[in-house]
Amino acid sequence: MPKIDSVDFFYLSMPEIQDIGDGSQDALLVRISAGSEIGWGECEASPLVSIASLVCPMSHSACKPVIQSVINQPLNGIEDIRSIHRTVRENSLDLLQADHTLSGIDIALWDLLGKLHGEPVYRLLGYPSAYPKLPYASVLFGDSEQETYQKARRISQAGFRAAKFGWGPFGRGSVQDDRSQVMAAREGLGKDHILLIDAGTIWGDDIQAASDRIQVLQECHVTWLEEPFYNGALSAYLHLASLSKDVQLAGGEGSHNEYQAQHMIDYGHVGYIQIDSGRIGGLTSAKRVADYAHKKGVTYVNHTFTSHLALSASIQPYAGLEKDFLCEYPVELKPLAYELSLEHLIPDHDGYIRLPEKPGLGITPDLDGIKKYLVDVDILVNGKRLYQTPILK
Amino acid sequence: MPKIDSVDFFYLSMPEIQDIGDGSQDALLVRISAGSEIGWGECEASPLVSIASLVCPMSHSACKPVIQSVINQPLNGIEDIRSIHRTVRENSLDLLQADHTLSGIDIALWDLLGKLHGEPVYRLLGYPSAYPKLPYASVLFGDSEQETYQKARRISQAGFRAAKFGWGPFGRGSVQDDRSQVMAAREGLGKDHILLIDAGTIWGDDIQAASDRIQVLQECHVTWLEEPFYNGALSAYLHLASLSKDVQLAGGEGSHNEYQAQHMIDYGHVGYIQIDSGRIGGLTSAKRVADYAHKKGVTYVNHTFTSHLALSASIQPYAGLEKDFLCEYPVELKPLAYELSLEHLIPDHDGYIRLPEKPGLGITPDLDGIKKYLVDVDILVNGKRLYQTPILK
């Protein structure tokens, strides 16, 4: 009868963090052991805050440290993961960060269960097989249109058949500036490739600012406009969806539970629902969103901007949905994020990537390689040490 | 030209935290100084996690420590608070806990601005005057119906004209158990008093479990059923609202931004929107919800279960809405929460409470009184001390 013996969080960071929209500069690696098996997961940022939510003192019955609902729980099957998932949400209802913390834990639990049962995670999630996904190269806009053009050229030459440009100067200048950037991306990429644009919530809920950019997106045959507004600005999404014609809206990465993702579908009318397994509550929550999106005719896409461990985790929830073939694939990873794993999901000669056919997530952390990125954290409360960075071995 | 010179967080806790639904067992007190003035605020739980989000290392451009968007900012007027509020949300977009952290900071900023301008906060928020509110005694269900009956009797005898019972055994046993509890509350309270029931999200999104309890709520003339479901389970709220007839639904306390509260109104059809200023993003966000609810004909109610500093902060956003006269008023506060402030909002002979007509929130922390509850916290990252409990004086 396997039970959860340990839950350890490792904060990894590049020596210097730049003030740019690149989420691969640090990572929070989660290790869970049950008997002789180990599972690995990853939480989205911020590492220190999620560590605090793992170990904080209880505030009241609905605000408990996350670890309390996980440690010593049985792990025989899928129902045990669901039970832990539910218990964390109940016991940490008033602890806002808990959903991000739960995410990495839930991912590690599925990885662990997969290893215990000798099955890839996607199969445990109910898919008979995993379809190949077409990775889109996910990059930041260049500071200038020339730089964006060059980036797009390089992506095309590297064999990618789809690319997404986002953040950077986009939305911060004039409509004309944005027009030049989008046209440079299209020109560099070539006319047959899929082009996606990510506004990174830059317009808040300003529908006019967003709709001013629709025309150039149409001219450049952009497939989706991502996050024009804050996650949850549903009426703004709905309004823009009615104006954007063949440019579909994409969003949902900020969702930290399955309800919020459903609302983006039901009330925001996004055409693509983007889910970060490291935020929404792990694979348990992400699979529910995939099922819901499938039922509603909305396309599921992963959101990920960190390691290939997180990449594998982000694809498992929709691995078996053949029609939902696009997949976010960060191509400007910082060394930390690339070196985090021994295996990588590399596009084949057709440009597709495939999930590993190995137990769990099929991705092994490179413990020797990442030791140099390990951050020492100490948290003391009334003289008692609640957290100290564990030994990574 | 006042600017923000310091932002300090103080974690206060009872010596022992019980595993009960009582949010008054700890507190996170926020002190902000600008020139010679000091403002005070309070964040909802968990204190350690919000402290971590204040000081954590940056992960990337949209995941910065909250303090970075606050310190050294100018504070001349209301627009400066709105600017800080917006900047925190942009700079900490991917830091989930940031909304709770921002809440206490925003409250302290309004308190501080009120003192700088010699005005009560409700007036800065745009209300010419503050109407008295009828406090409902907010308590946990007793473990037995006899205990609930006795609690209700005492509340009635103490002069309260409204009471809310919640959590404890409610929803955890049979429909018959809950019937007995609700009837005991009504009997103890007397037939003319306002009775409210709080299910504390116990039914998740199980509409049947909730609707099974509607009949006894109707028989007992319960004004609202609060949080039958998770915050954001909008379709479950909508469905139950169509079944619950003259028992209105109340919810929204878990909202950590104004969009989520609007969704509870627009898509969940709650009759009462309950906002915790210490969670939703402070008074800036709460006032926006109050304006929206007023426009939509939905009644605004404060949510608060901690100190009288938090109580004052929770009432300011709807102080000027005469028709929205009910007000949550915790009556089983732990000593820490009661002793936190020198002044208290005590019901008058008619049973009403009134906001202080003093600059800011009108509530002064009792620094000598609460010293004994102060928790020592140390957070070190790579040997650098990011947080140490400041001196409380």
Side-chain angles (χ1 to χ4, degrees), chain A residues 11 19-21 26 57 59 61 64 94 96-97 205 232 234 256 259-260 263 279 376-378 380-382, chain B residues 11 19-21 26 57 59 61 64 94 96-97 205 232 234 256 259-260 263 279 376-378 380-382:
Chain A
Y11 179 176
D19 192 357
I20 57 173
D26 65 9
S59 287
S61 62
K64 291 175 182 164
D94 287 347
L96 191 48
Q97 189 73 16
D205 53 10
L234 301 177
H256 59 88
Y259 296 118
Q260 292 171 359
H263 303 159
R279 287 180 187 156
D376 266 327
V377 175
D378 279 283
L380 289 95
V381 170
N382 279 339
Chain B
Y11 179 177
D19 192 357
I20 57 174
D26 66 8
S59 287
S61 62
K64 292 176 181 164
D94 287 347
L96 190 49
Q97 188 73 16
D205 52 10
L234 300 178
H256 58 87
Y259 296 119
Q260 293 172 358
H263 304 159
R279 287 180 187 157
D376 266 328
V377 175
D378 279 284
L380 289 94
V381 171
N382 279 340

Side-chain angles (χ1 to χ4, degrees), chain A residues 11 13 17-26 44-50 52-64 68 86 89-90 93-100 167 172 200-202 204-205 227 230-235 238 253-254 256-257 259-260 262-263 267-268 279 374-383 386, chain B residues 11 13 17-26 44-50 52-64 68 86 89-90 93-100 167 172 200-202 204-205 227 230-235 238 253-254 256-257 259-260 262-263 267-268 279 374-383 386:
Chain A
Y11 179 176
S13 177
I17 304 287
Q18 296 173 280
D19 192 357
I20 57 173
D22 173 359
S24 76
Q25 304 183 79
D26 65 9
E44 251 290 272
S46 142
L48 181 69
V49 182
S50 292
S53 73
L54 184 73
V55 300
C56 62
M58 172 167 70
S59 287
H60 55 78
S61 62
C63 192
K64 291 175 182 164
Q68 193 175 321
R86 194 169 48 240
R89 287 236 161 111
E90 282 175 17
L93 178 72
D94 287 347
L95 178 44
L96 191 48
Q97 189 73 16
D99 282 327
H100 282 194
W167 297 76
R172 297 184 181 271
T201 77
I202 191 74
D205 53 10
E227 287 215 309
Y230 295 134
N231 198 64
L234 301 177
S235 60
L238 180 67
E253 67 179 78
H256 59 88
N257 61 49
Y259 296 118
Q260 292 171 359
Q262 289 176 11
H263 303 159
Y267 309 117
R279 287 180 187 156
L374 189 60
V375 175
D376 266 327
V377 175
D378 279 283
I379 300 178
L380 289 95
V381 170
N382 279 339
L386 295 188
Chain B
Y11 179 177
S13 177
I17 303 289
Q18 295 173 279
D19 192 357
I20 57 174
D22 174 359
S24 75
Q25 303 184 80
D26 66 8
E44 251 291 271
S46 146
L48 181 69
V49 183
S50 292
S53 73
L54 184 73
V55 300
C56 61
M58 171 166 72
S59 287
H60 56 76
S61 62
C63 192
K64 292 176 181 164
Q68 192 175 322
R86 192 168 49 240
R89 287 234 162 112
E90 282 176 16
L93 177 72
D94 287 347
L95 177 44
L96 190 49
Q97 188 73 16
D99 281 327
H100 282 194
W167 297 74
R172 298 184 180 272
T201 77
I202 192 74
D205 52 10
E227 287 215 310
Y230 296 135
N231 197 65
L234 300 178
S235 60
L238 180 68
E253 68 179 78
H256 58 87
N257 61 50
Y259 296 119
Q260 293 172 358
Q262 289 175 12
H263 304 159
Y267 309 116
R279 287 180 187 157
L374 189 60
V375 175
D376 266 328
V377 175
D378 279 284
I379 300 178
L380 289 94
V381 171
N382 279 340
L386 296 188

Side-chain angles (χ1 to χ4, degrees), chain A residues 96-111:
Chain A
L96 191 48
Q97 189 73 16
D99 282 327
H100 282 194
T101 313
L102 168 62
S103 299
I105 288 174
D106 183 86
I107 291 168
L109 289 174
W110 284 100
D111 185 44

Side-chain angles (χ1 to χ4, degrees), chain A residues 41 51 57 147 185 199 267 338 361 369:
Chain A
I51 289 171
E147 194 187 332
Y267 309 117
Y338 196 80
L361 298 172

